[in-house]
Amino acid sequence: MTEQTVSSAVAVRDTGPAAMVEQYRTEYAALVPSHVNADQWIRLAVGAIRGNQDLEQAARTDVGVFLRELKTAARLGLEPGTEQFYLTPRKSKAHRGQKIIKGIVGYQGIIELIYRAGAVSSVVVETVRERDSFRYVIGRDERPVHDVDWFGGDRGELVGVYAYAVMKDGATSKVVILNRAQVMQAKAKSDGRNSDYSPWNTNEEAMWLKTAARRLAKWVPTSAEYLREQLRAQAEVAAELPAGDGPALPQPSVDLPDDDESGEDEGPIVAEFVDDDEPSTGWPEAAKPGQGAAR
């Protein structure tokens, strides 16, 4: 960075992270997909920081990290500070234990990317609790039968989660089903699982849904363009940005590992079907009428 760029970045930083987002409005507007309202996206990003003191302090620790995470959300066209794209404070060893911002694609974000591929008419992602009735036999049932007594009081603890998609031709995708042990295995791979701010601790059910949605995304057409951008945005610390009216976005002070809250490799998902040669163990493997993005 030139001395002038550094000076400009420092000057903006002194006004706060939210003001920095406004400062780089042109750059972010150039990154979001054409179907996304850039002004609304900026308002969401600014509101997420201004409305949370912990997030604002974490953003100040390394503003380059904060702005980089917003770049990921912008390229994906996902709403920052929502269940599409979480913004969470995370302790960083490289910053001597101070908190920095970590962006995490949520289950609603994954489902949104599935819809963008244009091949599905609906996505179902649902958790199962111990007092629910759940039936699914591989090779016999096209889709799970999940009965819930919505007015019967406590449904009990989470015991499983499933996800599947209905294609536009009416066919059902591979059904993904995970039991508690399998979800806990995914959680154990998450570096941030013990953080007070981790979605595993602040919104556990959403992380169960995300784990199933991620598995489903391997079996249905997904927007490869957006996932490639996600991989690129997370891998690059100093990604190039289109020229804008303001100074270039400041970069993180250090390289940070891109750990994922679901404990799984993000990886690009190509927009094509994969042969179902995966053996079924435990529960068969797939979303939620109420919480999934069924349309």
Side-chain angles (χ1 to χ4, degrees), residues 29-49:
L31 285 174
V32 297
S34 59
H35 73 278
V36 174
N37 184 305
D39 289 335
Q40 181 178 348
W41 189 95
I42 293 292
R43 285 196 296 271
L44 284 169
V46 170
I49 293 298

Side-chain angles (χ1 to χ4, degrees), residues 2-48:
T2 66
E3 290 185 8
Q4 182 177 2
T5 302
V6 172
S7 299
S8 298
V10 171
V12 176
R13 185 183 314 189
D14 291 340
T15 66
M20 293 193 73
V21 178
E22 295 280 8
Q23 173 74 11
Y24 300 117
R25 174 183 292 270
T26 302
E27 282 81 355
Y28 286 121
L31 285 174
V32 297
S34 59
H35 73 278
V36 174
N37 184 305
D39 289 335
Q40 181 178 348
W41 189 95
I42 293 292
R43 285 196 296 271
L44 284 169
V46 170

Side-chain angles (χ1 to χ4, degrees), residues 19-249:
M20 293 193 73
V21 178
E22 295 280 8
Q23 173 74 11
Y24 300 117
R25 174 183 292 270
T26 302
E27 282 81 355
Y28 286 121
L31 285 174
V32 297
S34 59
H35 73 278
V36 174
N37 184 305
D39 289 335
Q40 181 178 348
W41 189 95
I42 293 292
R43 285 196 296 271
L44 284 169
V46 170
I49 293 298
R50 285 183 174 161
N52 189 311
Q53 186 175 359
D54 289 334
L55 279 180
E56 182 174 8
Q57 184 58 48
R60 288 179 182 272
T61 299
D62 194 327
V63 71
V65 169
F66 166 57
L67 296 178
R68 182 197 67 177
E69 298 300 272
L70 285 185
K71 280 168 54 181
T72 302
R75 281 173 160 165
L76 289 170
L78 300 180
E79 300 175 347
T82 72
E83 287 188 331
Q84 285 191 3
F85 192 89
Y86 294 103
L87 294 174
T88 64
R90 178 74 58 80
K91 286 185 178 180
S92 168
K93 294 180 181 178
H95 295 81
R96 299 180 180 180
Q98 295 185 78
K99 295 185 178 72
I100 49 89
I101 293 290
K102 173 67 179 177
I104 303 168
V105 178
Y107 81 95
Q108 289 186 354
I110 295 173
I111 292 173
E112 176 65 19
L113 296 177
I114 292 175
Y115 275 118
R116 287 185 196 165
V120 305
S121 60
S122 65
V123 178
V124 179
V125 183
E126 179 67 89
T127 52
V128 181
R129 292 182 176 270
E130 58 184 349
R131 294 187 180 90
D132 296 351
S133 172
F134 181 88
R135 301 182 301 280
Y136 179 70
V137 177
I138 298 176
R140 185 194 72 182
D141 300 328
E142 182 181 12
R143 304 169 189 174
V145 177
H146 183 196
D147 295 325
V148 178
D149 183 358
W150 297 109
F151 307 107
D154 184 12
R155 293 169 55 199
E157 297 295 323
L158 291 166
V159 296
V161 62
Y162 63 93
Y164 65 87
V166 179
M167 315 311 292
K168 287 191 173 179
D169 63 2
T172 301
S173 72
K174 176 182 176 65
V175 178
V176 174
I177 302 179
L178 303 171
N179 59 26
R180 170 176 283 276
Q182 291 168 314
V183 174
M184 291 301 101
Q185 287 174 2
K187 178 181 179 180
K189 297 177 183 178
S190 169
D191 291 341
R193 63 188 180 278
N194 296 322
S195 168
D196 292 339
Y197 301 96
S198 168
W200 280 110
N201 298 313
T202 62
N203 195 347
E204 182 184 16
E205 186 170 14
M207 293 308 295
W208 283 57
L209 294 168
K210 177 182 177 179
T211 304
R214 286 177 57 84
R215 301 283 179 92
L216 175 64
K218 299 176 182 179
W219 299 96
V220 299
T222 308
S223 177
E225 173 187 357
Y226 291 102
L227 288 175
R228 282 197 301 269
E229 288 298 327
Q230 176 187 1
L231 182 65
R232 182 185 307 168
Q234 292 182 336
E236 296 175 354
V237 174
E240 295 182 0
L241 287 174
D245 297 334
L249 286 171

